[in-house]
Structures are given as structure tokens and as C-alpha cells.
Amino acid sequence: MNLAYRDIRHGFGRFILTCIGLGLLLGVVLAMIGIYRGLVVDALTIARAPAVDLWVVEANTRGPFAEASRIPGDVRDAVARIAGVKSAGGITYQTVETEHLGAKLRLYVIGYEPARPGGPPEVVAGRGITRSHYEMVADQSTGLTLGDRLHVGRNTYSVVGLTRHQVSSGGDPAVYITLADAQKLQFDLAPPAIRIQQARGAIAASRDTVNAVVARLQPNASPEAVAEAVRRWKHQTAITQEAQEQILIRSLVDRARRQIGLFTSLLLVVSAVIIALIIYTMTMEKTKQIATLKLIGAPDRTIIGMIVQQALALGLIGFSIGATLIAGISDHFPRRVILEADNMFALGLVVVVVCLIASGLGVRAALRVDPATALGTSISAKARRAWMRFAM
């Protein structure tokens, strides 16, 4: 006879409700882990999208993501002539807000040269940009569809292609347009501002400015060696792809990572406390039954096994409920939630350990139960010893 199974079946409804409540709590823990993973992936998505080896940016800055960077567009030609560089292209990044179907739409606009590195990594529907102006490839999360026309700045763009999973570190969906259109959007002044500048006698600055020049290297070229060659220039510096990713993780998502990690740890502690209290309460409710088991000679390992099995069943069923729930609704979160198998397995192990530790409180209470409690009356110590000898 399995005592844990018999006891669970006796109070099956309450046990299932307890598992559901614990599952919701563990689901929140799993969601926080998935949100953190998604936060890191989102922060690295735009940096990895061009599939390049080197970033050339303004001197004394750490790239177009962590700091503002502006360099002349013709730097790409100088970079392309460096030994070991296969191709190079200028690229711009900016955040804009527009309207679509009567609702506000916040976009991360990426300008690139179609014949050079910097474009979308894949086009899942439609085609890439083929015209010099007013065409756009948008991420699916924008809600745009092929053929839509979107007014951005003072121009209207046609959506000719769709990509996926291209968002900024802030979660804004990305759209790709030509570098010429992006520079016009970023640097052109409105007509009233132009008239004011002309009245002041200000000279218009060159519009051929980019936030970074990205470069792909030859297979046998060393990224660090090429970067060192660029660093000898006066007004530019170079960052390897690996260094760029480290900057993004440490600068843009470090504080969010620590905050989510602390919150996840607190939730795990709360889960452990709740499991411990539940097991303790379940044990105290069975005081008379445990006393009866002791009175008829049941060994301590039988009682301990019942409590530990109930704790593990509670934790594993709750974890399964939470994991199923989060997996089902993860696509409806505002930010990407990435549930990786290794993270779920690690959390499952943590839940098992927490259940084993939490069951210790119930085991301690069960081992201290007096067999005489089964009689419902208080007896003397001498009679208690006689009952113990009889049970043995």
C-alpha cells in the first residue's frame, strides 16, 4: 500500500487546487527566466542581423547602440580597402513613431545599402528592397502586411517584404529602408527649420553621415588585426563583433538582468516557503493517523517516505502545470519569451531540491508525534513506554 497515494486520493480536490496555485507561482518564475532570455536575445538581434565581423564607429565611443556615433559615409570606402576586408557598408539606426490604422506605431528604422552588408537576415514573405527609394522590409511584429503603405517622416513607404524576430533592445519592431531614405529621414530639416537656418546664414551639413560602417572579413583575416589598423585612424575606432555583443549585454541589459534575477530568486524562496508550509500543514492534519501508524509499529521510513513523496508530487505536478501554462501563452507577451529546454530542466531540478528541503519541516513534525495521540487521551509516561514496547 502506498500511503502517499492513499492520502492524496482521500483529499484529491484540495491537493489539485494546491498544485494549481503552486503551478501558477512556478509559472511566473519560468516566465521571468524566459523574459530574461528574450531580453538578451532581443538586445543582440540587431547587432547580429548584418552577420558582420567588424564595426567602425566614431572615436571614443562604444558603437551605435550604447552611445551616439556619427561618421562620414565615405569611411566605408576606406574600410573596404583594408587588407582582409571582404565588403563594407554604411548603416544608420533611429527610432521613430508614426500611425497605422489609427494607432500609434513605434519603429526602429534601419537604413542600409542594398548591395552591401547591413540588410535583414532573411525575408520570410515578399521580397527585399530593389528600388532606391520608398520601399520597406518590416518585421512581422509591426502588424504590417505586404502592400501596406506607411507614412514615416515626410514620405510614404510601401511594404515589399517581411522579416521576423528583428526588434531593438527596447522591444520596438525593426523596419529596413535604403540608406539614402534613412539619411533623409534622420538629417533633413522641416521646411520652417530650413528657412530659419537659411536666414541665419548657416551652411547645410553633408547628409552623407552614418552611425556605423560594418565590414565582413575574408575567412583567413583576423578581426582584431583589422580593428587595430582602423584604430590608428584619427577620428574612428573599430569594435569586433564579439566585443560589440559584450557591450550590449553589459550596457543595455545588465541592470534589467540583475533585477529579473533578483526577482526570480525571491520567487524561488517564496515557492520554497509555500511548499514547506503546505507540507507542514498536511502533516499536522494527519497527526492522529501518523500516531496510529507508530502505534501499530510502522517504521519511521514509511512515514518519511509518505511525506517526501507528497512533497515531490506537489512540486512536480505544480511545475508541469506552470510550464504548460507559460508555453501556451508565451506568444502573447508584449516582449519575446524564450523557453529553452536546459532552463526548464534546471528549474525542474531546483523544484525537486526545494521540495526535498521543504519536506524536512513536515518530516521533523511527523517524527515528533507521540503514538499516544492515537488514543485521544493523555497517558502516563510509564504507560507510554509500555505501548512502545508492545508496538516493537
Side-chain angles (χ1 to χ4, degrees), residues 16 68 84 199 227 275 339 387:
I16 288 298
I275 293 173
L339 300 176
W387 276 111

Side-chain angles (χ1 to χ4, degrees), residues 262-300:
L262 177 61
F263 188 59
T264 304
S265 301
L266 289 175
L267 286 175
L268 284 174
V269 172
V270 171
S271 302
V273 172
I274 290 176
I275 293 173
L277 291 176
I278 291 172
I279 296 301
Y280 180 76
T281 302
M282 293 171 63
T283 303
M284 296 310 296
E285 289 177 350
K286 297 190 289 289
T287 300
K288 204 167 249 192
Q289 291 85 342
I290 293 173
T292 302
L293 289 172
K294 288 188 173 184
L295 196 61
I296 64 176
D300 288 344

